[in-house]
Amino acid sequence: SQKIEQNSEALNIQEGKTATLTCNYTNYSPAYLQWYRQDPGRGPVFLLLIRENEKEKRKERLKVTFDTTLKQSLFHITASQPADSATYLCALTGGGNKLTFGTGTQLKVEL
Amino acid sequence: GAVVSQHPSWVICKSGTSVKIECRSLDFQATTMFWYRQFPKQSLMLMATSNEGSKATYEQGVEKDKFLINHASLTLSTLTVTSAHPEDSSFYICSASDSGDTDTQYFGPGTRLTVL
């Protein structure tokens, strides 16, 4: 069956360091992959989209990689700040534009 | 740009009553809107895909007669939870795709439904 796995344990890092979150998937051939940020009690906020033919994408302090051989995406936040603390979700779409979400990884950036 | 609103942001109702949740795209036209449900500490689960002017497509296991979806215009979709029960208590979130960029979905702030 199709699975999207994100580390369910919270990731705690120090301010200024780079946070790296992982999204692994099985039994999928996604056309593209997206990363969202979700704060408690709020809807997800779109961050980045990367297509199957793209290896890497950047936006300000954010960087996403997509390895379709390893079936993995890495999401990096450089120079992390306490305001970056949130849950980060990866989502896949195989066709059409239906999204399937992972369970998310909670990031805590400490002073 | 690309703002999606939901109303109400939270609602408490008695078991057996019906609740309507509105989802609006404020600054773009959305041919397609999506409805998700999220239980605590769990992922968003797609309930249905709503296309303007046509019947919604429901995901497996979602009762279409219980969760009525109407997408009457390019900026408004509604979800009505009929005869709500405590197990329907959840966080309901809608999203919309801009007609000019269907790859990206913009999410509303969510509606917290509590059924007593």
Side-chain angles (χ1 to χ4, degrees):
Chain A
S1 61
Q2 295 175 326
K3 266 190 183 178
I4 303 171
E5 293 182 337
Q6 293 184 257
N7 194 338
S8 58
E9 290 182 16
L11 177 63
N12 297 326
I13 65 166
Q14 212 170 11
E15 183 179 21
K17 301 290 185 186
T18 297
T20 299
L21 286 70
T22 305
C23 176
N24 294 299
Y25 59 92
T26 54
N27 296 323
Y28 258 110
S29 295
Y32 49 88
L33 182 149
Q34 302 186 42
W35 283 89
Y36 288 82
R37 169 186 173 137
Q38 188 176 27
D39 291 284
R42 306 291 295 173
V45 174
F46 171 74
L47 296 175
L48 280 168
L49 180 153
I50 187 164
R51 300 185 189 282
E52 59 180 336
N53 60 348
E54 298 175 314
K55 295 284 186 197
E56 181 181 296
K57 204 152 207 188
R58 292 174 186 260
K59 179 183 173 183
E60 297 172 353
R61 294 185 295 114
L62 308 181
K63 184 177 89 171
V64 170
T65 63
F66 192 11
D67 188 326
T68 54
T69 301
L70 289 178
K71 296 188 183 297
Q72 181 182 80
S73 174
L74 299 179
F75 177 77
H76 306 273
I77 306 175
T78 58
S80 59
Q81 304 163 1
D84 295 326
S85 299
T87 296
Y88 291 86
L89 306 167
C90 76
L92 303 182
T93 181
N97 51 358
K98 282 170 53 171
L99 289 176
T100 303
F101 281 87
T103 49
T105 298
Q106 186 178 9
L107 172 66
K108 292 181 184 175
V109 181
E110 298 162 341
L111 292 170
Chain B
V3 177
V4 176
S5 71
Q6 277 184 247
H7 178 80
S9 55
W10 60 270
V11 57
I12 300 172
C13 69
K14 290 183 179 179
S15 189
T17 60
S18 294
V19 173
K20 180 187 279 189
I21 302 169
E22 290 187 352
C23 176
R24 292 180 186 272
S25 56
L26 297 186
D27 50 2
F28 64 99
Q29 293 190 328
T31 313
T32 306
M33 288 183 169
F34 302 86
W35 287 96
Y36 295 82
R37 182 167 51 182
Q38 187 177 33
F39 292 106
K41 304 266 187 221
Q42 293 188 27
S43 186
L44 281 78
M45 297 298 294
L46 179 65
M47 298 174 67
T49 303
S50 166
N51 289 297
E52 184 262 338
S54 62
K55 288 185 180 179
T57 303
Y58 290 81
E59 294 300 300
Q60 195 171 12
V62 178
E63 299 174 57
K64 64 179 181 354
D65 294 331
K66 180 167 183 64
F67 299 100
L68 301 178
I69 292 172
N70 184 278
H71 191 160
S73 77
L74 284 173
T75 60
L76 173 65
S77 176
T78 60
L79 168 69
T80 301
V81 183
T82 62
S83 187
H85 287 96
E87 58 265 30
D88 298 323
S89 299
S90 187
F91 192 48
Y92 291 86
I93 311 172
C94 72
S95 71
S97 293
D98 190 327
S99 303
D101 174 18
T102 58
D103 291 347
T104 303
Q105 291 184 28
Y106 299 96
F107 284 80
T111 297
R112 172 74 57 194
L113 170 64
T114 302
V115 184
L116 302 177

